[in-house]
Amino acid sequence: MTRTLPLNTHLIDVGPLVYGCMALGGDWGGGPVTEADIAQAHEAVEAALDIGVKLFDHADIYRRGKAEAVFGELLRRDPGLRTRVRLQSKCGIRFADDTNVGRYDLSADHIERSVDGILQRLAVEHIDILLLHRPDALMEPAEVARAFGRLKAAGKVGHLGVSNMHVGQMRWLQAALSEPLVVNQLELSLAKLDAIDAGTTFNDPQASARPGGSAWAGTLEYAQQRGVQLQAWGSLAQGRFNDPAASAAAQVVHEIAEAHNTTANAVLLAWLLRHPAGIQPVIGSGNAERIRACADAPRIQLTRDEWYRLYVTARGQALP
């Protein structure tokens, strides 16, 4: 069954997979981008393009700005690359410094300054989507709306989305906006099942025994109802299912991969793609070989039985 991507109503043909650029740019220190970093980024980006990725996901904090900077260098060296990619980035997380603790900041001033930095590092004049990276306890939705309005009017940002927000936060923010939120990026994989468990364990003691899920109650349904594109970061589960001997769930992943003549990585992503929300998995690996191992994911049509076998085995407990 082919899923319609909600994001295609705003951006033509973004493709079913997203490449997450957090692994690009070298270390998390303050040193400059090196030629080795550029070469590694080039290999990863080309691998992503080879498997059909069109949307590249950034954040201003990734490698303390170096992930965007190294991508910007690729765009400078190959101007034609810009026509082949869609760009989204995130802002709102501020690291601790000499005088301040680590904090979240969705004030208008910080959002607008962050976007200027993103554009400078990426060497572009416009990004397709800006995501608010984490919920700021001091967020004023009307202030966010004004900042986005100015950025859009200036041609710097096309669309606004969020990351790691639950349904109540999305509704609250959307009420202040004149345009729809187009994305919610959250952690979701066979190793992070909270958002799905919120629905399947409702009205059962398992819900209180699995408290992580209750916080996400209604989030997937709201996204489907309002046409918000769900994106799943951590979709490859940090390699937890690479070794079939590591767990019962890893063994099932590899059995299903063998049945479909594909890789374990492709099965992990196909499990997300099978969901009716049209979830876009975000591939976060910086390794070109692992990226290419995801290529088959869009073509794999998991059956209901396969989907539930993966889900139930991964959660380690029978459904209610």
Side-chain angles (χ1 to χ4, degrees):
M1 181 184 299
T2 301
R3 301 293 180 195
T4 299
L5 291 174
L7 197 48
N8 278 345
T9 64
H10 304 282
L11 296 171
I12 298 172
D13 191 20
V14 291
L17 304 175
V18 179
Y19 181 68
C21 297
M22 188 172 71
L24 308 184
D27 62 28
W28 286 82
V33 169
T34 67
E35 283 298 323
D37 298 333
I38 295 168
Q40 181 261 339
H42 180 261
E43 283 189 15
V45 169
E46 286 300 317
L49 290 168
D50 286 348
I51 67 170
V53 171
K54 298 177 176 68
L55 182 59
F56 289 76
D57 172 71
H58 290 271
D60 58 356
I61 65 164
Y62 289 167
R63 310 287 160 162
R64 296 186 177 268
K66 292 193 294 185
E68 290 174 334
V70 77
F71 201 97
E73 185 59 29
L74 295 182
L75 290 171
R76 287 189 187 92
R77 297 185 183 192
D78 178 10
L81 177 61
R82 184 67 184 95
T83 65
R84 303 167 65 195
V85 302
R86 296 284 193 174
L87 296 173
Q88 74 177 24
S89 194
K90 310 181 214 47
C91 72
I93 297 177
R94 303 185 70 172
F95 290 125
D97 53 35
D98 291 341
T99 57
N100 295 292
V101 297
R103 67 271 191 211
Y104 303 146
D105 189 345
L106 295 179
S107 64
D109 180 63
H110 184 71
I111 290 171
E112 292 179 66
R113 283 190 291 106
S114 295
V115 169
D116 286 340
I118 289 166
L119 297 178
Q120 181 180 28
R121 287 187 293 275
L122 286 173
V124 297
E125 297 180 350
H126 168 90
I127 58 171
D128 297 287
I129 307 168
L130 174 68
L131 303 186
L132 308 179
H133 206 159
R134 288 277 181 180
D136 173 10
L138 301 181
M139 180 179 73
E140 301 275 1
E143 184 179 6
V144 173
R146 288 192 296 271
F148 172 63
R150 288 191 289 266
L151 290 167
K152 176 133 183 149
K156 296 178 179 181
V157 172
H159 302 280
L160 185 67
V162 298
S163 180
N164 305 300
M165 285 196 185
H166 61 62
V167 60
Q169 294 163 328
M170 293 174 70
R171 283 197 183 109
W172 183 46
L173 179 58
Q174 183 63 74
L177 297 167
S178 60
E179 296 191 25
L181 294 169
V182 300
V183 169
N184 186 11
Q185 187 179 115
L186 52 88
E187 185 179 7
L188 182 58
S189 71
L190 274 181
K192 182 69 172 178
L193 298 166
D194 295 349
I196 292 176
D197 279 344
T200 57
T201 64
F202 173 72
N203 200 33
D204 185 87
Q206 279 195 28
S208 59
R210 305 172 79 91
S214 60
W216 291 104
T219 302
L220 300 190
E221 293 79 5
Y222 176 84
Q224 290 174 80
Q225 182 185 39
R226 297 298 295 264
V228 178
Q229 180 68 62
L230 290 172
Q231 295 176 349
W233 66 268
S235 60
L236 294 176
Q238 293 77 46
R240 186 176 301 186
F241 300 100
N242 289 351
D243 181 1
S247 66
Q251 182 175 346
V252 170
V253 168
H254 283 263
E255 288 175 3
I256 291 177
E258 185 175 353
H260 286 268
N261 192 30
T262 190
T263 65
N265 278 356
V267 168
L268 294 174
L269 304 191
W271 183 80
L272 292 165
L273 290 166
R274 176 66 174 81
H275 194 278
I279 298 168
Q280 282 183 309
V282 180
I283 302 169
S285 175
N287 182 289
E289 183 178 349
R290 291 186 192 131
I291 295 166
R292 289 193 170 91
C294 300
D296 286 344
R299 76 158 181 84
I300 298 170
Q301 300 294 317
L302 295 178
T303 66
R304 274 180 163 267
D305 288 343
E306 288 173 326
W307 191 92
Y308 268 103
R309 185 182 175 206
L310 287 163
Y311 173 43
V312 173
T313 308
R315 72 195 302 272
Q317 183 179 16
L319 288 166

